[in-house]
Amino acid sequence: MTDSDSVTRSASTWPPTPPEHETGTRHQHAAWQLAGHEVDLYSERELQQVLFEELALPATPDHTTDTPSLAALRRQHPHPFLDHLLAYRAERAAAGDLG
């Protein structure tokens, strides 16, 4: 097997299929797919990188990534990544897991 074979095989399995019993993973994996890599959806630093640099969305005041600020951003600048991020957070909050 060559290195290109392993890269092709790895790329064909991206993103990994989430176990169905995990709350929120459908939205988490959809967000990862849109970003092109895994992202901690509660990490301010990682989200700032993805949202404001990689996806070139306008920055929120003080570059905050709290849920109310991101919901306001989504109303002004709809983007599928924000849809999945906020849905993931809502599902995790409903499950009692706030990240």
Side-chain angles (χ1 to χ4, degrees):
M1 175 168 69
T2 67
D3 287 339
S4 65
D5 291 338
S6 64
V7 170
T8 302
R9 187 173 9 269
S10 297
S12 67
T13 60
W14 179 257
T17 304
E20 293 196 19
H21 67 277
E22 291 184 25
T23 303
T25 55
R26 181 175 72 82
H27 291 294
Q28 180 183 41
H29 284 262
W32 290 352
Q33 186 172 27
L34 289 163
H37 56 88
E38 290 186 14
V39 180
D40 179 344
L41 299 179
Y42 286 99
S43 168
E44 184 170 50
R45 182 185 54 78
E46 290 183 36
L47 286 173
Q48 288 170 342
Q49 173 74 30
V50 170
L51 293 169
F52 310 133
E53 294 179 32
E54 295 172 22
L55 298 177
L57 288 167
T60 57
D62 298 323
H63 292 82
T64 59
T65 59
D66 61 32
T67 299
S69 296
L70 294 177
L73 178 63
R74 182 178 65 176
R75 283 191 298 277
Q76 295 173 351
H77 302 278
H79 193 283
F81 181 86
L82 290 170
D83 295 340
H84 290 292
L85 166 61
L86 293 169
Y88 171 77
R89 285 187 174 183
E91 287 179 349
R92 299 307 296 184
D97 179 8
L98 302 178

